[in-house]
Amino acid sequence: MKRNTKINLVLLFLVAALAVLPLALGLGDHKKEPFTGSDGEAETAITELKPDYEPWFSPLYEPPSGEIESALFSLQAALGAGVLAYYFGLRRGRRQGEQRALEREADSPLAGAAGKSTAEQD
């Protein structure tokens, strides 16, 4: 097995463990909503510490339900992943294209004589 394959399998195992262990160990069972986001946790902590707190800003758009909010968040994550994948794919393609061009240039019979004039070549 190649070294990169081993590293990828270890990383995949770690990601799976990070996803499954909190559920298997029952972390968050004592909470009403155990796996809410950090925004909800922060809002709860602020209202407990300072009940008269007034937020500085209000949201531009508040989705009518949690499902729509979750769908918009997923769409945002998918678009971001698509942009990153496009960027890295473009970089890799350019690098491969440059590498192929250099290989073609090195393999051509005129590669050694490319800088010489026709008089110097004879």
Side-chain angles (χ1 to χ4, degrees):
M1 191 179 298
K2 292 183 181 179
R3 183 173 187 263
N4 285 341
T5 306
K6 289 180 184 178
I7 291 172
N8 287 340
L9 287 174
V10 168
L11 290 174
L12 183 64
F13 175 75
L14 288 174
V15 168
L18 284 173
V20 173
L21 282 177
L23 298 172
L25 296 176
L27 300 177
D29 284 346
H30 61 283
K31 295 182 180 179
K32 181 178 159 187
E33 295 180 29
F35 297 108
T36 59
S38 61
D39 292 344
E41 294 285 331
E43 185 179 343
T44 303
I46 290 170
T47 54
E48 285 177 3
L49 294 173
K50 208 169 192 186
D52 58 336
Y53 176 77
E54 289 282 331
W56 292 3
F57 300 100
S58 62
L60 296 175
Y61 171 71
E62 184 126 3
S65 70
E67 290 83 9
I68 294 175
E69 183 177 357
S70 179
L72 289 173
F73 181 76
S74 299
L75 178 65
Q76 177 185 0
L79 286 172
V83 167
L84 282 175
Y86 174 77
Y87 172 73
F88 287 121
L90 185 67
R91 281 193 51 196
R92 182 175 179 168
R94 284 184 179 170
R95 191 173 351 112
Q96 286 177 348
E98 289 172 358
Q99 197 172 32
R100 287 180 185 152
L102 288 173
E103 287 172 3
R104 267 189 249 123
E105 189 178 294
D107 290 343
S108 71
L110 299 177
K116 297 180 182 178
S117 67
T118 55
E120 293 175 352
Q121 290 178 10
D122 294 331

